[in-house]
Amino acid sequence: MSNQKKLISRSTLTFKAFEHEVTMAPGKTTIWDFVTHDKRTGKKYCVYCALEMSRAKNLIKIALKKLPKDHRFVVVTSSFSEEEETKANEAGYCITSIDTLNKFGREMLDAKSVETKKEAPPEKAEAHGTDMDANEVLDVIDQALAKDKLF
């Protein structure tokens, strides 16, 4: 599997962990790799996975012009500079690293695990060490992508 496909796969798994509906872009008809929809909040994101930001700048400009009005554009990359983050904020899209998405994904899975263990006998629920429940963690990615909390 190519590095680009791995980046897309890892990104979609994180959104799915946050109970987003993920729809892969059909072929090469769009610039973004997938669209995600949070049925709880109604928020929609067009996500583009870029291995290197230096190669993606022109595609991002085009994607922003073609972005549906009710969607937010998100760029997932391996890393980015402060300058690239500033440009993203100025242009009105979100940029994040795959490591940050993975961290949020792990937190979500931990929270879901706690919820499952709370339904189990008390001795098993106490053995896990987190105070967050699944609903609290579900809001993390929405806040981050809405710029309430920047990645």
Side-chain angles (χ1 to χ4, degrees):
M1 183 183 294
S2 72
N3 288 338
Q4 179 70 19
K5 288 184 180 181
K6 286 179 188 176
L7 182 62
I8 294 169
S9 177
R10 290 170 63 191
S11 299
T12 58
L13 287 174
T14 299
F15 279 97
K16 287 176 182 178
F18 279 89
E19 299 178 2
H20 284 234
E21 181 180 295
V22 174
T23 306
M24 298 306 293
K28 303 268 185 198
T29 59
T30 61
I31 294 169
W32 41 85
D33 296 303
F34 61 93
V35 176
T36 178
H37 176 232
D38 184 348
K39 290 184 180 180
R40 293 177 309 106
T41 64
K43 294 179 181 178
K44 299 175 184 178
Y45 305 102
C46 292
V47 183
Y48 175 66
C49 299
L51 291 173
E52 296 178 34
M53 283 301 296
S54 60
R55 294 182 180 181
K57 292 176 183 177
N58 290 331
L59 288 175
I60 291 170
K61 289 178 187 176
I62 296 168
L64 290 171
K65 291 178 184 176
K66 295 184 178 212
L67 187 69
K69 297 224 185 269
D70 61 341
H71 289 64
R72 179 151 163 72
F73 190 61
V74 178
V75 177
V76 179
T77 186
S78 53
S79 65
F80 56 92
S81 67
E82 285 185 35
E83 180 184 341
E84 290 167 333
E85 183 175 23
T86 301
K87 286 181 182 179
N89 291 335
E90 290 170 356
Y93 66 93
C94 179
I95 186 171
T96 187
S97 71
I98 189 62
D99 291 335
T100 302
L101 275 185
N102 286 337
K103 177 182 161 247
F104 285 139
R106 283 189 302 274
E107 288 174 6
M108 184 59 187
L109 293 175
D110 287 346
K112 284 182 178 182
S113 174
V114 168
E115 286 297 309
T116 302
K117 289 182 181 191
K118 284 182 180 177
E119 296 169 6
E123 66 276 0
K124 290 185 180 178
E126 294 170 6
H128 201 281
T130 185
D131 296 329
M132 294 178 81
D133 68 19
N135 289 329
E136 292 172 316
V137 180
L138 276 172
D139 293 329
V140 171
I141 201 161
D142 289 330
Q143 289 172 1
L145 295 178
K147 290 189 180 178
D148 295 334
K149 176 181 171 187
L150 292 175
F151 287 135

